């Protein structure tokens, strides 16, 4: 009996320490979740303000609207990850040509900051995919932005059709030496891009490909890099 009491007494500080550590962990997680929810709230507000100040020019409206939809989707995803809610985005018929054209338009403006261009070569007719339109736009953005951040010279976007598959290739020359830094808008873009944390963009492309029943490859051939996304056409696609 004396031995049992001694063992219990010896165990109390350990149990108390574990309970205290668990309590601290719960408190920290609660504070972290609160801080993240506050950040999501603060991000939604400027996005709403941006939505209300959409450009009137039809030439800029498509890229603006697409970018805003992707930003809103990213906020919803962050909200879901923080609070454990499932995302509710589904698959709808999407004009591939329109999505690609908007992405090229959007990133052409970014490329001009480095005196570079994003060129589109289209050879796929007018296919419509059954896909998450926002996820497709995110995949294209990541493919093109990866070429801008890590490559040099022209960014070539080529789209072709092969039987029941469309093939999207984003290629550029590999940048061996870092380019000289430019001030102003380019530096702001660099901060927003989070370029010190590599690899996230291509993982997103792979997830989009897998969810859509397609495939993704990133390869280097000599001094050129190619990001290749293949997506299946639906049975009734054009």
């Amino acid at each position: 009996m004396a031995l049992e009491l001694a063992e219990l007494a010896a165990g109390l500080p350990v149990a108390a320490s574990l309970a205290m550590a668990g309590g601290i962990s719960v408190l920290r997680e609660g504070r972290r979740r609160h801080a993240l929810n506050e950040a999501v709230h603060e991000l939604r507000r400027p996005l709403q303000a941006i939505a209300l100040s959409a450009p009137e020019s039809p030439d800029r409206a498509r890229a603006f609207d697409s970018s805003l939809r992707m930003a809103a989707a990213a906020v919803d995803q962050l909200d879901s990850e923080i609070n454990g809610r499932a995302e509710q985005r589904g698959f709808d018929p999407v004009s591939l040509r329109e999505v690609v054209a908007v992405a090229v338009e959007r990133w052409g403006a970014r490329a001009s900051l480095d005196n570079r261009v994003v060129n589109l070569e289209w050879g796929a007719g007018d296919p419509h995919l059954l896909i998450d339109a926002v996820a497709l736009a995110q995949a294209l953005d990541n493919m093109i932005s990866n070429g801008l951040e890590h490559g040099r010279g022209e960014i070539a976007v080529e789209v072709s059709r092969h039987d029941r598959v469309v093939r999207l290739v984003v290629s550029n020359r590999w940048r061996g030496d870092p380019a000289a830094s430019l001030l102003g808008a380019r530096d702001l873009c660099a901060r927003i891009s989070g370029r010190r944390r590599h690899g996230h963009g291509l993982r997103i492309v792979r997830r989009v490909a897998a969810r859509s029943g397609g495939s993704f490859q990133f390869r280097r051939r000599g001094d050129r890099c190619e990001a290749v996304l293949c997506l299946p056409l639906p049975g009734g696609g054009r």
Side-chain angles (χ1 to χ4, degrees):
M1 183 68 175
L3 181 59
E4 290 176 358
L5 290 174
E7 290 175 348
L8 179 62
L12 281 175
V14 176
S17 297
L18 290 174
M20 183 176 295
I24 291 172
S25 177
V26 169
L27 180 62
R28 285 177 177 169
E29 179 59 28
R31 287 177 176 173
R32 177 176 174 273
R33 178 174 294 185
H34 176 78
L36 288 172
N37 275 313
E38 187 175 277
V40 169
H41 175 269
E42 289 301 297
L43 184 55
R44 287 190 190 277
R45 191 184 65 254
L47 285 176
Q48 291 168 351
I50 290 171
L52 294 172
S53 59
E56 296 182 0
S57 168
D59 294 336
R60 297 186 58 197
R62 292 193 313 171
F64 184 92
D65 180 70
S66 176
S67 298
L68 191 60
R69 287 178 185 275
M70 282 190 291
V75 174
D76 286 341
Q77 182 181 2
L78 179 58
D79 191 359
S80 298
E81 290 292 336
I82 295 169
N83 299 301
R85 291 193 291 269
E87 290 186 90
Q88 299 296 321
R89 298 200 332 241
F91 284 22
D92 295 298
V94 176
S95 168
L96 178 63
R97 186 161 196 162
E98 181 175 346
V99 175
V100 175
V102 171
V104 169
E105 178 183 334
R106 176 169 47 248
W107 287 98
R110 167 64 181 87
S112 67
L113 297 175
D114 293 341
N115 296 317
R116 298 168 67 188
V117 294
V118 181
N119 286 325
L120 173 61
E121 182 177 330
W122 191 269
D126 187 20
H128 284 60
L129 307 182
L130 192 61
I131 198 169
D132 179 342
V134 173
L136 175 59
Q138 289 173 330
L140 287 167
D141 265 33
N142 277 294
M143 291 167 69
I144 297 173
S145 66
N146 185 74
L148 284 169
E149 289 183 20
H150 305 297
R152 57 187 173 129
E154 173 200 51
I155 305 293
V157 180
E158 303 173 39
V159 184
S160 56
R161 177 171 175 169
H162 307 271
D163 294 326
R164 305 306 306 165
V165 173
V166 286
R167 187 170 179 264
L168 299 91
V169 181
V170 177
S171 62
N172 58 272
R173 294 177 63 193
W174 183 258
R175 185 173 64 203
D177 298 320
S181 176
L182 299 178
L183 299 177
R186 180 182 172 187
D187 288 332
L188 179 59
C189 286
R191 290 185 61 190
I192 294 171
S193 74
R195 62 176 56 182
R196 290 188 181 89
R197 298 178 292 278
H198 300 308
H200 300 304
L202 297 185
R203 282 197 294 271
I204 290 172
V205 182
R206 288 189 178 93
R207 281 203 302 269
V208 172
R211 187 177 177 224
S212 305
S215 64
F216 174 72
Q217 287 185 314
F218 181 78
R219 58 198 184 200
R220 291 180 61 178
R221 293 183 171 179
D223 68 341
R224 294 194 67 80
C225 296
E226 291 184 343
V228 183
L229 175 61
C230 293
L231 297 171
L233 286 165
R238 295 196 297 274

PDB file of all heavy atoms in Angstrom, residues 202-231:
ATOM      1  N   LEU A 202       3.689  24.247 -58.390  1.00  0.00           N
ATOM      2  CA  LEU A 202       3.633  23.036 -59.211  1.00  0.00           C
ATOM      3  C   LEU A 202       2.874  21.917 -58.516  1.00  0.00           C
ATOM      4  O   LEU A 202       2.256  21.074 -59.178  1.00  0.00           O
ATOM      5  CB  LEU A 202       5.041  22.589 -59.596  1.00  0.00           C
ATOM      6  CG  LEU A 202       5.822  23.584 -60.470  1.00  0.00           C
ATOM      7  CD1 LEU A 202       7.154  22.990 -60.897  1.00  0.00           C
ATOM      8  CD2 LEU A 202       5.007  24.013 -61.694  1.00  0.00           C
ATOM      9  N   ARG A 203       2.890  21.902 -57.176  1.00  0.00           N
ATOM     10  CA  ARG A 203       2.077  20.919 -56.460  1.00  0.00           C
ATOM     11  C   ARG A 203       0.594  21.181 -56.696  1.00  0.00           C
ATOM     12  O   ARG A 203      -0.203  20.252 -56.825  1.00  0.00           O
ATOM     13  CB  ARG A 203       2.398  20.955 -54.957  1.00  0.00           C
ATOM     14  CG  ARG A 203       3.681  20.236 -54.587  1.00  0.00           C
ATOM     15  CD  ARG A 203       3.756  19.947 -53.110  1.00  0.00           C
ATOM     16  NE  ARG A 203       3.856  21.159 -52.311  1.00  0.00           N
ATOM     17  CZ  ARG A 203       4.998  21.747 -51.985  1.00  0.00           C
ATOM     18  NH1 ARG A 203       6.146  21.246 -52.433  1.00  0.00           N
ATOM     19  NH2 ARG A 203       5.020  22.832 -51.245  1.00  0.00           N
ATOM     20  N   ILE A 204       0.228  22.456 -56.757  1.00  0.00           N
ATOM     21  CA  ILE A 204      -1.165  22.813 -57.045  1.00  0.00           C
ATOM     22  C   ILE A 204      -1.551  22.328 -58.436  1.00  0.00           C
ATOM     23  O   ILE A 204      -2.635  21.774 -58.644  1.00  0.00           O
ATOM     24  CB  ILE A 204      -1.362  24.336 -56.913  1.00  0.00           C
ATOM     25  CG1 ILE A 204      -1.275  24.748 -55.444  1.00  0.00           C
ATOM     26  CG2 ILE A 204      -2.703  24.770 -57.507  1.00  0.00           C
ATOM     27  CD1 ILE A 204      -1.256  26.248 -55.218  1.00  0.00           C
ATOM     28  N   VAL A 205      -0.654  22.519 -59.419  1.00  0.00           N
ATOM     29  CA  VAL A 205      -0.933  22.069 -60.782  1.00  0.00           C
ATOM     30  C   VAL A 205      -1.130  20.556 -60.796  1.00  0.00           C
ATOM     31  O   VAL A 205      -2.044  20.035 -61.458  1.00  0.00           O
ATOM     32  CB  VAL A 205       0.198  22.467 -61.747  1.00  0.00           C
ATOM     33  CG1 VAL A 205      -0.141  22.019 -63.167  1.00  0.00           C
ATOM     34  CG2 VAL A 205       0.425  23.983 -61.717  1.00  0.00           C
ATOM     35  N   ARG A 206      -0.292  19.819 -60.084  1.00  0.00           N
ATOM     36  CA  ARG A 206      -0.419  18.359 -60.047  1.00  0.00           C
ATOM     37  C   ARG A 206      -1.754  17.940 -59.431  1.00  0.00           C
ATOM     38  O   ARG A 206      -2.386  16.975 -59.893  1.00  0.00           O
ATOM     39  CB  ARG A 206       0.745  17.752 -59.259  1.00  0.00           C
ATOM     40  CG  ARG A 206       2.078  17.818 -59.985  1.00  0.00           C
ATOM     41  CD  ARG A 206       3.156  17.018 -59.275  1.00  0.00           C
ATOM     42  NE  ARG A 206       4.392  17.070 -60.025  1.00  0.00           N
ATOM     43  CZ  ARG A 206       5.366  17.962 -59.822  1.00  0.00           C
ATOM     44  NH1 ARG A 206       5.231  18.877 -58.856  1.00  0.00           N
ATOM     45  NH2 ARG A 206       6.463  17.952 -60.555  1.00  0.00           N
ATOM     46  N   ARG A 207      -2.194  18.647 -58.389  1.00  0.00           N
ATOM     47  CA  ARG A 207      -3.481  18.311 -57.777  1.00  0.00           C
ATOM     48  C   ARG A 207      -4.629  18.561 -58.743  1.00  0.00           C
ATOM     49  O   ARG A 207      -5.569  17.769 -58.822  1.00  0.00           O
ATOM     50  CB  ARG A 207      -3.685  19.132 -56.495  1.00  0.00           C
ATOM     51  CG  ARG A 207      -2.940  18.608 -55.297  1.00  0.00           C
ATOM     52  CD  ARG A 207      -3.582  19.055 -54.004  1.00  0.00           C
ATOM     53  NE  ARG A 207      -3.672  20.503 -53.897  1.00  0.00           N
ATOM     54  CZ  ARG A 207      -2.740  21.279 -53.354  1.00  0.00           C
ATOM     55  NH1 ARG A 207      -1.622  20.736 -52.884  1.00  0.00           N
ATOM     56  NH2 ARG A 207      -2.908  22.576 -53.271  1.00  0.00           N
ATOM     57  N   VAL A 208      -4.577  19.672 -59.465  1.00  0.00           N
ATOM     58  CA  VAL A 208      -5.623  19.989 -60.441  1.00  0.00           C
ATOM     59  C   VAL A 208      -5.660  18.926 -61.525  1.00  0.00           C
ATOM     60  O   VAL A 208      -6.733  18.453 -61.922  1.00  0.00           O
ATOM     61  CB  VAL A 208      -5.391  21.389 -61.054  1.00  0.00           C
ATOM     62  CG1 VAL A 208      -6.356  21.648 -62.207  1.00  0.00           C
ATOM     63  CG2 VAL A 208      -5.553  22.475 -59.991  1.00  0.00           C
ATOM     64  N   ALA A 209      -4.486  18.510 -62.004  1.00  0.00           N
ATOM     65  CA  ALA A 209      -4.418  17.480 -63.038  1.00  0.00           C
ATOM     66  C   ALA A 209      -5.003  16.166 -62.533  1.00  0.00           C
ATOM     67  O   ALA A 209      -5.802  15.519 -63.227  1.00  0.00           O
ATOM     68  CB  ALA A 209      -2.966  17.276 -63.481  1.00  0.00           C
ATOM     69  N   ALA A 210      -4.633  15.762 -61.329  1.00  0.00           N
ATOM     70  CA  ALA A 210      -5.107  14.495 -60.771  1.00  0.00           C
ATOM     71  C   ALA A 210      -6.615  14.524 -60.556  1.00  0.00           C
ATOM     72  O   ALA A 210      -7.321  13.561 -60.876  1.00  0.00           O
ATOM     73  CB  ALA A 210      -4.393  14.198 -59.460  1.00  0.00           C
ATOM     74  N   ARG A 211      -7.119  15.622 -60.041  1.00  0.00           N
ATOM     75  CA  ARG A 211      -8.560  15.728 -59.765  1.00  0.00           C
ATOM     76  C   ARG A 211      -9.369  15.726 -61.050  1.00  0.00           C
ATOM     77  O   ARG A 211     -10.521  15.293 -61.080  1.00  0.00           O
ATOM     78  CB  ARG A 211      -8.833  17.003 -58.962  1.00  0.00           C
ATOM     79  CG  ARG A 211     -10.279  17.123 -58.488  1.00  0.00           C
ATOM     80  CD  ARG A 211     -10.500  18.342 -57.640  1.00  0.00           C
ATOM     81  NE  ARG A 211     -11.908  18.449 -57.267  1.00  0.00           N
ATOM     82  CZ  ARG A 211     -12.606  19.562 -57.296  1.00  0.00           C
ATOM     83  NH1 ARG A 211     -12.045  20.695 -57.678  1.00  0.00           N
ATOM     84  NH2 ARG A 211     -13.880  19.580 -56.942  1.00  0.00           N
ATOM     85  N   SER A 212      -8.762  16.186 -62.149  1.00  0.00           N
ATOM     86  CA  SER A 212      -9.465  16.276 -63.424  1.00  0.00           C
ATOM     87  C   SER A 212      -9.244  15.050 -64.307  1.00  0.00           C
ATOM     88  O   SER A 212      -9.720  15.014 -65.441  1.00  0.00           O
ATOM     89  CB  SER A 212      -9.006  17.537 -64.177  1.00  0.00           C
ATOM     90  OG  SER A 212      -9.172  18.687 -63.379  1.00  0.00           O
ATOM     91  N   GLY A 213      -8.488  14.064 -63.800  1.00  0.00           N
ATOM     92  CA  GLY A 213      -8.219  12.867 -64.587  1.00  0.00           C
ATOM     93  C   GLY A 213      -7.140  13.062 -65.633  1.00  0.00           C
ATOM     94  O   GLY A 213      -7.051  12.290 -66.599  1.00  0.00           O
ATOM     95  N   GLY A 214      -6.295  14.080 -65.455  1.00  0.00           N
ATOM     96  CA  GLY A 214      -5.223  14.357 -66.401  1.00  0.00           C
ATOM     97  C   GLY A 214      -3.860  14.046 -65.823  1.00  0.00           C
ATOM     98  O   GLY A 214      -3.723  13.233 -64.908  1.00  0.00           O
ATOM     99  N   SER A 215      -2.835  14.703 -66.359  1.00  0.00           N
ATOM    100  CA  SER A 215      -1.466  14.472 -65.895  1.00  0.00           C
ATOM    101  C   SER A 215      -0.660  15.764 -66.011  1.00  0.00           C
ATOM    102  O   SER A 215      -1.024  16.680 -66.754  1.00  0.00           O
ATOM    103  CB  SER A 215      -0.788  13.363 -66.709  1.00  0.00           C
ATOM    104  OG  SER A 215      -0.664  13.763 -68.074  1.00  0.00           O
ATOM    105  N   PHE A 216       0.429  15.821 -65.250  1.00  0.00           N
ATOM    106  CA  PHE A 216       1.307  16.985 -65.303  1.00  0.00           C
ATOM    107  C   PHE A 216       2.750  16.528 -65.227  1.00  0.00           C
ATOM    108  O   PHE A 216       3.102  15.639 -64.454  1.00  0.00           O
ATOM    109  CB  PHE A 216       1.008  17.946 -64.152  1.00  0.00           C
ATOM    110  CG  PHE A 216       1.978  19.101 -64.083  1.00  0.00           C
ATOM    111  CD1 PHE A 216       1.934  20.110 -65.036  1.00  0.00           C
ATOM    112  CD2 PHE A 216       2.950  19.168 -63.089  1.00  0.00           C
ATOM    113  CE1 PHE A 216       2.837  21.171 -64.991  1.00  0.00           C
ATOM    114  CE2 PHE A 216       3.850  20.212 -63.045  1.00  0.00           C
ATOM    115  CZ  PHE A 216       3.783  21.219 -63.996  1.00  0.00           C
ATOM    116  N   GLN A 217       3.605  17.169 -66.054  1.00  0.00           N
ATOM    117  CA  GLN A 217       5.049  16.902 -66.027  1.00  0.00           C
ATOM    118  C   GLN A 217       5.801  18.223 -66.074  1.00  0.00           C
ATOM    119  O   GLN A 217       5.388  19.163 -66.770  1.00  0.00           O
ATOM    120  CB  GLN A 217       5.477  16.073 -67.234  1.00  0.00           C
ATOM    121  CG  GLN A 217       5.075  14.618 -67.199  1.00  0.00           C
ATOM    122  CD  GLN A 217       5.648  13.863 -68.390  1.00  0.00           C
ATOM    123  OE1 GLN A 217       5.578  14.331 -69.531  1.00  0.00           O
ATOM    124  NE2 GLN A 217       6.238  12.712 -68.138  1.00  0.00           N
ATOM    125  N   PHE A 218       6.904  18.263 -65.343  1.00  0.00           N
ATOM    126  CA  PHE A 218       7.825  19.405 -65.440  1.00  0.00           C
ATOM    127  C   PHE A 218       9.179  18.839 -65.823  1.00  0.00           C
ATOM    128  O   PHE A 218       9.704  17.952 -65.152  1.00  0.00           O
ATOM    129  CB  PHE A 218       7.923  20.153 -64.115  1.00  0.00           C
ATOM    130  CG  PHE A 218       8.834  21.349 -64.186  1.00  0.00           C
ATOM    131  CD1 PHE A 218       8.410  22.526 -64.775  1.00  0.00           C
ATOM    132  CD2 PHE A 218      10.132  21.287 -63.679  1.00  0.00           C
ATOM    133  CE1 PHE A 218       9.248  23.631 -64.855  1.00  0.00           C
ATOM    134  CE2 PHE A 218      10.974  22.377 -63.756  1.00  0.00           C
ATOM    135  CZ  PHE A 218      10.526  23.555 -64.347  1.00  0.00           C
ATOM    136  N   ARG A 219       9.736  19.326 -66.925  1.00  0.00           N
ATOM    137  CA  ARG A 219      10.993  18.749 -67.400  1.00  0.00           C
ATOM    138  C   ARG A 219      11.911  19.824 -67.957  1.00  0.00           C
ATOM    139  O   ARG A 219      11.469  20.883 -68.392  1.00  0.00           O
ATOM    140  CB  ARG A 219      10.701  17.691 -68.461  1.00  0.00           C
ATOM    141  CG  ARG A 219       9.923  18.212 -69.662  1.00  0.00           C
ATOM    142  CD  ARG A 219       9.284  17.096 -70.441  1.00  0.00           C
ATOM    143  NE  ARG A 219       8.607  17.559 -71.639  1.00  0.00           N
ATOM    144  CZ  ARG A 219       7.665  16.876 -72.274  1.00  0.00           C
ATOM    145  NH1 ARG A 219       7.307  15.688 -71.819  1.00  0.00           N
ATOM    146  NH2 ARG A 219       7.098  17.355 -73.363  1.00  0.00           N
ATOM    147  N   ARG A 220      13.206  19.510 -67.947  1.00  0.00           N
ATOM    148  CA  ARG A 220      14.223  20.392 -68.518  1.00  0.00           C
ATOM    149  C   ARG A 220      14.862  19.698 -69.708  1.00  0.00           C
ATOM    150  O   ARG A 220      15.243  18.537 -69.636  1.00  0.00           O
ATOM    151  CB  ARG A 220      15.272  20.738 -67.469  1.00  0.00           C
ATOM    152  CG  ARG A 220      14.757  21.637 -66.362  1.00  0.00           C
ATOM    153  CD  ARG A 220      15.823  21.951 -65.333  1.00  0.00           C
ATOM    154  NE  ARG A 220      16.956  22.652 -65.914  1.00  0.00           N
ATOM    155  CZ  ARG A 220      18.012  23.068 -65.218  1.00  0.00           C
ATOM    156  NH1 ARG A 220      18.072  22.836 -63.924  1.00  0.00           N
ATOM    157  NH2 ARG A 220      19.000  23.701 -65.814  1.00  0.00           N
ATOM    158  N   ARG A 221      14.971  20.425 -70.811  1.00  0.00           N
ATOM    159  CA  ARG A 221      15.616  19.933 -72.015  1.00  0.00           C
ATOM    160  C   ARG A 221      16.654  20.946 -72.452  1.00  0.00           C
ATOM    161  O   ARG A 221      16.328  21.978 -73.019  1.00  0.00           O
ATOM    162  CB  ARG A 221      14.575  19.719 -73.117  1.00  0.00           C
ATOM    163  CG  ARG A 221      13.585  18.596 -72.824  1.00  0.00           C
ATOM    164  CD  ARG A 221      12.628  18.374 -73.968  1.00  0.00           C
ATOM    165  NE  ARG A 221      11.833  17.176 -73.782  1.00  0.00           N
ATOM    166  CZ  ARG A 221      10.896  16.760 -74.643  1.00  0.00           C
ATOM    167  NH1 ARG A 221      10.681  17.465 -75.750  1.00  0.00           N
ATOM    168  NH2 ARG A 221      10.207  15.664 -74.400  1.00  0.00           N
ATOM    169  N   GLY A 222      17.908  20.643 -72.166  1.00  0.00           N
ATOM    170  CA  GLY A 222      18.972  21.604 -72.466  1.00  0.00           C
ATOM    171  C   GLY A 222      18.801  22.844 -71.618  1.00  0.00           C
ATOM    172  O   GLY A 222      18.728  22.769 -70.391  1.00  0.00           O
ATOM    173  N   ASP A 223      18.718  23.992 -72.285  1.00  0.00           N
ATOM    174  CA  ASP A 223      18.555  25.233 -71.527  1.00  0.00           C
ATOM    175  C   ASP A 223      17.093  25.656 -71.448  1.00  0.00           C
ATOM    176  O   ASP A 223      16.786  26.773 -71.050  1.00  0.00           O
ATOM    177  CB  ASP A 223      19.385  26.362 -72.163  1.00  0.00           C
ATOM    178  CG  ASP A 223      18.845  26.773 -73.536  1.00  0.00           C
ATOM    179  OD1 ASP A 223      18.095  25.972 -74.143  1.00  0.00           O
ATOM    180  OD2 ASP A 223      19.173  27.884 -73.986  1.00  0.00           O
ATOM    181  N   ARG A 224      16.168  24.757 -71.794  1.00  0.00           N
ATOM    182  CA  ARG A 224      14.745  25.076 -71.762  1.00  0.00           C
ATOM    183  C   ARG A 224      14.008  24.219 -70.729  1.00  0.00           C
ATOM    184  O   ARG A 224      14.386  23.070 -70.462  1.00  0.00           O
ATOM    185  CB  ARG A 224      14.093  24.875 -73.134  1.00  0.00           C
ATOM    186  CG  ARG A 224      14.599  25.847 -74.191  1.00  0.00           C
ATOM    187  CD  ARG A 224      13.704  25.847 -75.410  1.00  0.00           C
ATOM    188  NE  ARG A 224      12.381  26.382 -75.144  1.00  0.00           N
ATOM    189  CZ  ARG A 224      12.099  27.683 -75.087  1.00  0.00           C
ATOM    190  NH1 ARG A 224      13.057  28.588 -75.267  1.00  0.00           N
ATOM    191  NH2 ARG A 224      10.864  28.083 -74.868  1.00  0.00           N
ATOM    192  N   CYS A 225      12.973  24.814 -70.156  1.00  0.00           N
ATOM    193  CA  CYS A 225      12.101  24.118 -69.211  1.00  0.00           C
ATOM    194  C   CYS A 225      10.700  24.057 -69.786  1.00  0.00           C
ATOM    195  O   CYS A 225      10.251  25.012 -70.423  1.00  0.00           O
ATOM    196  CB  CYS A 225      12.060  24.847 -67.872  1.00  0.00           C
ATOM    197  SG  CYS A 225      13.624  24.889 -67.029  1.00  0.00           S
ATOM    198  N   GLU A 226      10.008  22.963 -69.538  1.00  0.00           N
ATOM    199  CA  GLU A 226       8.636  22.790 -70.016  1.00  0.00           C
ATOM    200  C   GLU A 226       7.746  22.307 -68.877  1.00  0.00           C
ATOM    201  O   GLU A 226       8.077  21.337 -68.190  1.00  0.00           O
ATOM    202  CB  GLU A 226       8.571  21.780 -71.156  1.00  0.00           C
ATOM    203  CG  GLU A 226       9.202  22.236 -72.452  1.00  0.00           C
ATOM    204  CD  GLU A 226       9.018  21.214 -73.559  1.00  0.00           C
ATOM    205  OE1 GLU A 226       8.691  20.045 -73.241  1.00  0.00           O
ATOM    206  OE2 GLU A 226       9.188  21.589 -74.731  1.00  0.00           O
ATOM    207  N   ALA A 227       6.629  22.992 -68.704  1.00  0.00           N
ATOM    208  CA  ALA A 227       5.578  22.532 -67.803  1.00  0.00           C
ATOM    209  C   ALA A 227       4.444  22.051 -68.704  1.00  0.00           C
ATOM    210  O   ALA A 227       3.901  22.827 -69.495  1.00  0.00           O
ATOM    211  CB  ALA A 227       5.113  23.656 -66.893  1.00  0.00           C
ATOM    212  N   VAL A 228       4.094  20.762 -68.599  1.00  0.00           N
ATOM    213  CA  VAL A 228       3.140  20.151 -69.536  1.00  0.00           C
ATOM    214  C   VAL A 228       1.927  19.625 -68.772  1.00  0.00           C
ATOM    215  O   VAL A 228       2.039  18.707 -67.949  1.00  0.00           O
ATOM    216  CB  VAL A 228       3.785  18.996 -70.326  1.00  0.00           C
ATOM    217  CG1 VAL A 228       2.800  18.428 -71.339  1.00  0.00           C
ATOM    218  CG2 VAL A 228       5.079  19.446 -70.992  1.00  0.00           C
ATOM    219  N   LEU A 229       0.773  20.226 -69.048  1.00  0.00           N
ATOM    220  CA  LEU A 229      -0.474  19.815 -68.413  1.00  0.00           C
ATOM    221  C   LEU A 229      -1.381  19.190 -69.477  1.00  0.00           C
ATOM    222  O   LEU A 229      -1.704  19.836 -70.497  1.00  0.00           O
ATOM    223  CB  LEU A 229      -1.176  21.018 -67.784  1.00  0.00           C
ATOM    224  CG  LEU A 229      -2.558  20.793 -67.170  1.00  0.00           C
ATOM    225  CD1 LEU A 229      -2.507  19.795 -66.030  1.00  0.00           C
ATOM    226  CD2 LEU A 229      -3.152  22.120 -66.694  1.00  0.00           C
ATOM    227  N   CYS A 230      -1.783  17.940 -69.274  1.00  0.00           N
ATOM    228  CA  CYS A 230      -2.689  17.249 -70.197  1.00  0.00           C
ATOM    229  C   CYS A 230      -4.020  17.029 -69.500  1.00  0.00           C
ATOM    230  O   CYS A 230      -4.056  16.503 -68.366  1.00  0.00           O
ATOM    231  CB  CYS A 230      -2.095  15.903 -70.618  1.00  0.00           C
ATOM    232  SG  CYS A 230      -0.595  16.062 -71.636  1.00  0.00           S
ATOM    233  N   LEU A 231      -5.108  17.407 -70.175  1.00  0.00           N
ATOM    234  CA  LEU A 231      -6.442  17.281 -69.591  1.00  0.00           C
ATOM    235  C   LEU A 231      -7.366  16.576 -70.574  1.00  0.00           C
ATOM    236  O   LEU A 231      -7.324  16.839 -71.782  1.00  0.00           O
ATOM    237  CB  LEU A 231      -6.999  18.672 -69.261  1.00  0.00           C
ATOM    238  CG  LEU A 231      -6.242  19.485 -68.219  1.00  0.00           C
ATOM    239  CD1 LEU A 231      -6.779  20.902 -68.162  1.00  0.00           C
ATOM    240  CD2 LEU A 231      -6.340  18.806 -66.846  1.00  0.00           C
TER     241      LEU A 231
END
